[in-house]
């Protein structure tokens, strides 16, 4: 009778450990912050490089970039696919800005390997960004209403520009829902359009129609201005996405879905 009782206890304990291990395996692992070194170049040279809203160098330059590795959950037999998703989640986005050219972005993704004890991140040693060409001549842009290319949004003349009368649909959702949404302006022409701090927008799911009333914004400089959307929820990794203002004006929409990852 005693042996049977001990056997039941061993089985129950084993099942509990297996359940705990399985539940834990379904969560992404966020590794401590580390740095990698990369040599940045551009064609033509002399481009400013931004990590988020922070200027980190001017090409050509060698910089150290901080990152937090994220290891996504998955089964051992799907290790290759799991490491691919982990590399995507750990990726770093750099923005290249040069006067007279359309700003561009380079996404740096690591090669991740594991020896069952540790994860190793092998990042690109150099990155070259090639600008696609000079900015289009604004006077020939037929998508700009006549006479509106240089009219700027101004509090003293509220509602007097076509930009302010253009209604944009804002729509964001997440899984799970109930995440807080923040937005801010990121400008590569700060003399005309100022960068802003984060402003609370609402919670997911969120849908609203509103116009752009960003001070100093014109059709001419709207390509050099971005809207950053950040989604936060307790117990999950913060996520953010950026939207080009000119593209949003043309599409009359800013929308996205955020698949949140547990910490």
């Amino acid at each position: 009778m005693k042996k049977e009782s001990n056997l039941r206890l061993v089985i129950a304990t084993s099942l509990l450990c297996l359940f705990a291990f399985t539940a834990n395996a379904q969560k992404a692992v966020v590794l401590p912050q580390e740095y990698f070194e990369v040599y940045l170049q551009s064609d033509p040279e002399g481009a400013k490089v931004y990590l988020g809203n922070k200027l980190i160098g001017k090409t050509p330059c060698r910089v150290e970039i901080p990152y937090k590795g994220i290891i996504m959950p998955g089964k051992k037999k799907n290790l290759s696919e799991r490491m691919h998703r982990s590399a995507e989640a750990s990726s770093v986005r750099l923005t290249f800005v040069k006067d007279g050219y359309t700003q561009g972005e380079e996404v740096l993704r690591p090669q991740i390997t594991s020896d069952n004890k540790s994860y190793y991140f092998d990042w690109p040693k150099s990155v070259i960004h090639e600008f696609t060409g000079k900015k289009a001549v604004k006077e020939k842009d037929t998508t700009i209403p006549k006479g509106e290319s240089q009219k700027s949004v101004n509090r003293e003349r509220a509602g007097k520009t076509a930009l302010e009368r253009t209604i944009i649909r804002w729509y964001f959702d997440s899984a799970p829902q109930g995440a807080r949404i923040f937005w801010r302006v990121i400008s590569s022409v700060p003399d005309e359009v100022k960068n802003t701090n984060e402003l609370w927008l609402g919670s997911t799911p969120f849908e609203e129609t509103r116009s752009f009333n960003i001070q100093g914004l014109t059709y001419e400089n709207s390509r050099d201005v971005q809207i950053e959307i950040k989604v936060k929820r307790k117990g999950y990794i913060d996520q953010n996405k950026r939207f080009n203002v000119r593209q949003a004006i043309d599409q009359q929409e800013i929308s996205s879905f955020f698949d949140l990852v547990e910490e």
Side-chain angles (χ1 to χ4, degrees):
M1 190 73 176
K2 186 176 181 181
K3 290 183 177 179
E4 182 178 350
S5 177
N6 289 339
L7 179 60
R8 289 178 180 176
L9 179 60
V10 169
I11 293 173
T13 303
S14 300
L15 290 174
L16 182 61
C17 292
L18 177 62
F19 175 79
F21 175 80
T22 304
N24 187 59
Q26 298 307 310
K27 293 184 179 180
V29 178
V30 182
L31 303 177
Q33 180 172 290
E34 295 188 39
Y35 292 83
F36 69 92
E37 189 176 88
V38 61
Y39 184 61
L40 303 177
Q41 304 174 74
S42 67
D43 182 19
E45 295 182 346
K48 294 179 180 179
V49 185
Y50 292 86
L51 175 62
N53 197 35
K54 182 181 179 182
L55 177 65
I56 61 172
K58 189 172 183 179
T59 60
C61 60
R62 188 175 298 277
V63 297
E64 283 193 340
I65 296 179
Y67 73 96
K68 285 188 177 181
I70 299 175
I71 305 301
M72 301 298 288
K75 298 180 180 179
K76 288 185 177 180
K77 65 179 182 180
N78 297 326
L79 182 62
S80 177
E81 187 270 341
R82 182 188 175 201
M83 292 299 98
H84 176 76
R85 290 190 292 115
S86 299
E88 189 66 34
S90 305
S91 62
V92 173
R93 296 178 181 272
L94 301 179
T95 303
F96 289 73
V97 178
K98 184 173 175 61
D99 290 343
Y101 293 83
T102 303
Q103 71 179 37
E105 186 178 76
E106 294 291 337
V107 181
L108 280 61
R109 298 179 180 86
Q111 290 287 334
I112 306 176
T113 56
S114 172
D115 59 4
N116 295 324
K117 294 182 180 180
S118 302
Y119 295 97
Y120 303 96
F121 288 70
D122 185 17
W123 291 90
K125 299 298 185 292
S126 65
V127 174
I128 301 176
H129 177 76
E130 295 184 2
F131 289 96
T132 55
K134 294 187 176 181
K135 294 179 182 177
V137 179
K138 304 303 189 292
E139 289 74 17
K140 295 181 180 180
D141 192 340
T142 57
T143 63
I144 300 177
K146 186 176 181 179
E148 291 286 335
S149 64
Q150 296 185 7
K151 286 187 178 180
S152 63
V153 177
N154 191 308
R155 291 190 182 92
E156 297 178 0
R157 302 187 303 276
K160 298 297 183 181
T161 66
L163 278 175
E164 294 166 278
R165 296 190 293 271
T166 300
I167 303 301
I168 307 295
R169 176 179 178 257
W170 299 55
Y171 177 76
F172 305 103
D173 202 354
S174 66
Q177 294 182 334
R180 293 172 295 162
I181 309 169
F182 299 83
W183 75 285
R184 64 170 177 154
V185 174
I186 297 178
S187 170
S188 59
V189 285
D191 292 342
E192 301 173 25
V193 179
K194 302 296 184 185
N195 295 299
T196 68
N197 295 324
E198 288 183 356
L199 300 171
W200 184 74
L201 185 63
S203 300
T204 58
F206 177 88
E207 183 172 15
E208 185 179 74
T209 54
R210 56 165 66 188
S211 61
F212 279 125
N213 60 349
I214 302 170
Q215 299 302 301
L217 185 68
T218 67
Y219 270 99
E220 190 168 312
N221 64 28
S222 60
R223 287 188 176 88
D224 301 316
V225 181
Q226 297 183 83
I227 298 294
E228 182 181 76
I229 299 295
K230 179 175 286 188
V231 170
K232 299 181 180 181
R233 195 176 195 276
K234 188 175 181 180
Y236 293 82
I237 300 171
D238 294 351
Q239 290 191 24
N240 62 71
K241 295 182 180 180
R242 293 183 180 181
F243 304 85
N244 182 268
V245 169
R246 181 54 197 278
Q247 187 175 11
I249 293 170
D250 291 342
Q251 296 178 346
Q252 297 188 347
E253 180 173 284
I254 295 180
S255 62
S256 188
F257 181 85
F258 295 82
D259 194 359
L260 301 180
V261 177
E262 288 187 84
E263 290 185 339

